[in-house]
Amino acid sequence: MNRRIEVEAVSSMSSLPDTAPEDESAAPVGRPGWPMTLAILAVCLAVVASGWWVARVVLKEPEPERPSPEDAAAFVLDAAERMEAADSYALTFTRLREGRPVGEGTASYDVSGNPRFELSFTYADGPEVYHYDLGDGVPITTAGHGLQIPEEPSEADRYLCSAMFGSAKLREIAESSEDLELASREELDTGAGDVTALRYEGTFTAWVGGYDSGTGTNTLESLEGVPFTLWLTPDGDPLRLAYGTSTGLEELYEYGPLPS
């Protein structure tokens, strides 16, 4: 019963008129053989592949041209941007007053870490202070008595509790120094041995972060006309920075290698 109903349904649906001439036999209907199928498939794949390659050639942006080391401001700014684009970095720094060490700091950043950024600074006659960036833009500071999370972050909070701290001094030099110049090419003695370095000199406006243990807040001071010496690799990676102010403040930064 079911078979008859299906046949009748198909017959009733085939009601379109036959437009072929009466004396013309129906064209045979069949599938192409395997050789033909493979040939068609190969042509389609070749067309798709060639179109994809052309799209890549047309749409791919050329690699940006790196600035010349002689263009000092552009080269130092490029070094800052390279550091900001890196998946990780590490640096250490020492602060002195009148030639006497008053504190040591370390900063590290890892895009996959938790926290992503950590800055610690140990004062010779004060607390050990930690600054964190968990990746959500909320600055966190602790100095041994609980976490401090400000409701309205200050400029000092954002400066010290951000991964941008690593490139901050490079940007300050590139953007504020009016007498920045490439002084020489030389061999720099580092912990990993001698490396070829480009030495830059000039004066800049330095921002110096700190911590006020009396109020439990972060501080930030701007110092103008500060002489500095900066060493970069020929590829534009930071190696070392030294600067000193007329008030007796000095800082020495040592930068770790950036991941390739």
Side-chain angles (χ1 to χ4, degrees):
M1 177 67 69
N2 291 338
R3 181 176 179 81
R4 185 174 68 254
I5 292 173
E6 290 173 359
V7 171
E8 292 174 354
V10 170
S11 298
S12 63
M13 293 176 63
S14 303
S15 57
L16 292 177
D18 185 2
T19 58
E22 294 182 0
D23 59 348
E24 184 177 329
S25 58
V29 178
R31 297 179 179 177
W34 278 111
M36 180 63 72
T37 301
L38 292 176
I40 294 173
L41 179 60
V43 170
C44 291
L45 291 176
V47 170
V48 172
S50 63
W52 174 81
W53 182 83
V54 171
R56 285 197 64 189
V57 171
V58 173
L59 298 179
K60 184 179 180 181
E61 296 182 0
E63 291 292 330
E65 192 171 317
R66 300 289 304 283
S68 167
E70 280 72 21
D71 187 352
F75 196 73
V76 174
L77 182 59
D78 183 70
E81 293 173 346
R82 283 168 59 82
M83 196 168 187
E84 292 163 2
D87 289 337
S88 62
Y89 67 72
L91 62 88
T92 62
F93 63 103
T94 302
R95 184 173 298 172
L96 303 94
R97 284 281 186 186
E98 304 295 343
R100 182 177 65 88
V102 296
E104 295 183 342
T106 63
S108 61
Y109 168 75
D110 187 336
V111 70
S112 61
N114 186 22
R116 290 172 56 180
F117 171 77
E118 177 181 342
L119 166 64
S120 66
F121 191 83
T122 303
Y123 289 88
D125 55 355
E128 185 173 12
V129 185
Y130 290 87
H131 308 278
Y132 299 103
D133 175 9
L134 302 182
D136 55 5
V138 177
I140 298 175
T141 299
T142 178
H145 47 76
L147 300 179
Q148 302 173 39
I149 306 176
E151 293 183 3
E152 296 184 4
S154 66
E155 190 174 2
D157 296 327
R158 289 188 290 268
Y159 186 92
L160 293 169
C161 306
S162 167
M164 299 296 285
F165 178 86
S167 63
K169 287 291 179 287
L170 301 176
R171 279 196 170 272
E172 290 161 20
I173 289 173
E175 296 173 357
S176 69
S177 178
E178 297 181 356
D179 54 358
L180 170 62
E181 65 176 357
L182 174 60
S184 69
R185 291 172 170 82
E186 60 190 35
E187 293 298 308
L188 181 66
D189 183 12
T190 68
D194 290 350
V195 298
T196 301
L198 307 176
R199 179 162 60 90
Y200 291 87
E201 295 179 350
T203 57
F204 77 122
T205 298
W207 290 87
V208 181
Y211 180 78
D212 187 334
S213 57
T215 61
T217 57
N218 294 319
T219 62
L220 191 62
E221 180 182 11
S222 174
L223 303 172
E224 298 181 357
V226 179
F228 71 87
T229 305
L230 170 67
W231 290 266
L232 304 175
T233 70
D235 290 333
D237 292 341
L239 291 170
R240 180 179 296 165
L241 167 66
Y243 71 87
T245 73
S246 59
T247 61
L249 171 69
E250 299 176 59
E251 283 197 331
L252 175 64
Y253 284 69
E254 297 283 354
Y255 297 86
L258 296 179
S260 56

